[in-house]
Amino acid sequence: AMEDVCAKFVSQKISKTRWRPLPAAALQPPDLFATGSWDNEDNRISIWSVGDLGNVGLNGEYQGEPQLLCDIRHNGDVMDMQFLDQERIVVASSTGTVTIFRHHQNNQTLSANQRWEKAHCHVDQDTSCGGAACTGVICNNPEIVTVGEDGRINLFRADQKDAVRSIDNADSSTLHAVTFLRTNEILTVNSIGQLKIWDLRQQRNEPSQIFSLTGDRVPLHCVDRHPNQQHIVATGGQDGMLSIWDIRQGTMPVSLLNAHEAEMWEVHFHPSNPDHLFTCSEDGSLWHWDTSTDTSEKPSFLHQGGRSTTYFSHNAINQSVVSAWLSNDPTKDRMEITNLIPNQTLSVNSLDVLGPCLVYGTDAEAIYVNRQLFA
């Protein structure tokens, strides 16, 4: 069912794609998303409307493709991006600066609302500060946490000029990504395969727990927490493996799953349907991992269009992952994995899922929207 997917060529390499969050009571699917670009002369933050799916224009042309509503120049590569609320987007730059952009819906413009210059930087001998990439940002309005190449963790509050808290040498290696575990706890992943939990209420600048991948110190690039079970965490890294962790027990992953053939750039649990998980990679693939109960009644879209679909039986995979990722419920006896883009060649850098909709962006200078993930 590749025809469910709309492509838009945007003449810039897309590093991040994010759905605008829906208001709490909203029943409709998401209608707006933001993108950020990298490795272009002129990088941009752009806001898109998903377009009018299925409407045919006067000349018979298909109007389903995303429409650009507004954009604004961004200094440096967009390394990460998160919506703070319906109108504000926090953007992490390779220059080390963190900016909040506001989307003005009345006249469809974007403006820089607030900026923390060189939130991340390398201090050299002369104590001048050269920007270090801000690699990750996570929001829990009004709080914003950023991590960077300099191993620093910052806690900002929207509308406050100075950082609420900075842990300067939180890590001696590059921090690649961060997520909230709870209101006061964050989890970071770094370039030597470690996962660390930080309690922001504690004044000491030490992690409260450290987990690590066995032996190899494979850099971890991305992390996501299960939306309902806060102890379940998924990470992905340079070797393309998907790791599932239970942070209540042990210091090693519960399961390591062979996945992509190159770096995994992002991993996302579906926010309202977390038996489904999505990963994307430098190898040009985007995988949908489905652990929901009955694979025999799966919608047929998983089997169309020459997509590769893999079934794992219990003995092929660490059994503890197969139910909603951890429990050993014997009725859940296989996981289905589908590559949603079988013949893409260039890196898929970012994806986001919300409701029935998936958006992803690539180095092929294109954004793709699938509005019928579970059709």
Side-chain angles (χ1 to χ4, degrees), residues 14-26:
I14 297 298
S15 55
K16 289 293 153 184
T17 56
R18 298 287 179 250
W19 288 112
R20 179 178 70 172
L22 289 167

Side-chain angles (χ1 to χ4, degrees), residues 153-173:
I153 298 172
N154 291 309
L155 172 61
F156 296 112
R157 213 165 262 131
D159 307 323
Q160 283 189 22
K161 193 164 65 79
D162 298 317
V164 177
R165 170 119 192 250
S166 283
I167 307 177
D168 271 351
N169 295 306
D171 210 299
S172 53
S173 57

Side-chain angles (χ1 to χ4, degrees), residues 115-161:
R115 191 174 268 127
W116 292 282
E117 297 281 350
K118 293 196 175 157
H120 294 274
C121 63
H122 296 299
V123 177
D124 61 24
Q125 293 75 14
D126 312 327
T127 69
S128 71
C129 164
C134 177
T135 50
V137 57
I138 193 78
C139 304
N140 184 14
N141 191 6
E143 305 204 305
I144 298 163
V145 174
T146 69
V147 296
E149 245 172 32
D150 54 356
R152 173 190 285 193
I153 298 172
N154 291 309
L155 172 61
F156 296 112
R157 213 165 262 131
D159 307 323
Q160 283 189 22
K161 193 164 65 79

